[in-house]
């Protein structure tokens, strides 16, 4: 908010709290808005329009209030000039913020892109390791299967041989006794 003329005693302080912390921590007096105040009458001089800005008090004054009373010795300028100065200050603050913020944001973006590449690379490497490990396990399982099947075939062959031998012996004994 912008003060209109006096607000009691000035003492080189803003008559109302009209400043905010700017983006970069500076006082954002540049955020004062004058456009909604054109042609406003001075509350102390009904025939006067507020056309002067007291930089010390951050308030609007008429020509009669400027440099008198509580504003005596204060730095003043036309309301139009003050608005232009504040708009220029705001523009400089905006550009400074952009100048500081854009490179930082671009740096963060580059870091995120690098992290994405690392995640992709790491993911691909892990996939290769998993696939290689799985292939080795499959190979080992197939070798073990083949070995076990080989043992089963050996046992079967050995048992078949023994059984064939026993069968031959039994058949021979049956024939020799004439039982068959």
């Amino acid at each position: 908010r912008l003060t209109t003329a006096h607000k009691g005693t000035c003492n080189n302080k803003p008559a109302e709290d009209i400043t905010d912390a700017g983006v970069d921590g500076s006082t954002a007096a540049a955020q004062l808005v004058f456009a909604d105040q054109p042609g406003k009458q001075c509350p102390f001089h009904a025939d006067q329009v507020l056309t002067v800005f007291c930089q010390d008090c951050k308030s609007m004054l008429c020509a009669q209030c400027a440099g008198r009373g509580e504003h005596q010795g204060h730095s003043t300028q036309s309301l139009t000039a003050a608005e232009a100065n504040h708009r220029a200050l705001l523009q400089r603050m905006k550009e400074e913020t952009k100048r500081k913020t854009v490179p930082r944001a671009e740096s963060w973006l580059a870091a995120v892109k690098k992290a994405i590449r690392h995640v992709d690379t790491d993911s691909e490497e892990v996939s290769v390791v998993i696939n290689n490990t799985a292939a080795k396990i499959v190979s080992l399982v197939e070798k073990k299967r083949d070995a076990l099947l080989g043992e089963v075939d050996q046992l079967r062959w050995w048992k078949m041989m023994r059984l064939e031998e026993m069968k031959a012996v039994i058949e021979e004994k049956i024939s020799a006794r004439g039982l068959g």
Side-chain angles (χ1 to χ4, degrees):
R1 292 180 311 182
L2 190 60
T3 60
T4 57
H6 316 290
K7 182 92 171 166
T9 58
C10 176
N11 299 325
N12 290 334
K13 296 179 186 171
E16 291 185 25
D17 184 15
I18 57 171
T19 58
D20 298 314
V23 177
D24 63 355
S26 66
T27 301
Q31 294 178 354
L32 297 175
V33 178
F34 299 95
D36 62 345
Q37 302 288 330
K40 190 163 183 174
Q41 297 298 120
C42 175
F44 301 101
H45 305 101
D47 62 333
Q48 294 289 311
V49 176
L50 302 175
T51 58
V52 179
F53 182 71
C54 177
Q55 293 174 310
D56 297 339
C57 300
K58 307 287 188 244
S59 60
M60 295 179 358
L61 313 169
C62 73
Q64 286 185 14
C65 291
R68 295 189 180 126
E70 61 192 48
H71 298 286
Q72 189 170 4
H74 288 188
S75 178
T76 60
Q77 66 183 143
S78 76
L79 198 54
T80 305
E83 180 178 13
N85 290 340
H86 283 97
R87 288 188 188 280
L89 176 60
L90 181 59
Q91 184 62 34
R92 284 192 308 272
M93 290 171 66
K94 182 179 170 184
E95 289 168 3
E96 178 69 13
T97 301
K98 184 177 179 181
R99 186 184 64 76
K100 289 179 179 177
T101 304
V102 169
R104 191 177 311 145
E106 288 172 346
S107 171
W108 292 341
L109 180 61
V112 168
K113 286 179 178 179
K114 183 177 179 180
I116 288 170
R117 284 191 306 273
H118 283 297
V119 167
D120 281 344
T121 301
D122 291 349
S123 177
E124 289 171 8
E125 289 174 3
V126 168
S127 293
V128 167
V129 169
I130 289 171
N131 286 330
N132 288 342
T133 303
K136 288 177 184 176
I137 290 170
V138 167
S139 175
L140 291 172
V141 168
E142 287 175 346
K143 286 179 183 178
K144 187 65 174 176
R145 178 199 64 201
D146 292 345
L148 290 172
L149 289 173
E151 286 179 28
V152 167
D153 282 345
Q154 272 186 333
L155 284 173
R156 182 182 158 279
W157 179 83
W158 184 82
K159 285 184 180 182
M160 290 298 281
M161 292 301 289
R162 287 291 291 152
L163 289 172
E164 287 294 330
E165 288 174 3
M166 290 170 81
K167 176 181 151 193
V169 168
I170 293 172
E171 285 176 343
E172 193 178 301
K173 286 188 181 186
I174 291 176
S175 293
R177 290 207 177 155
L179 295 171

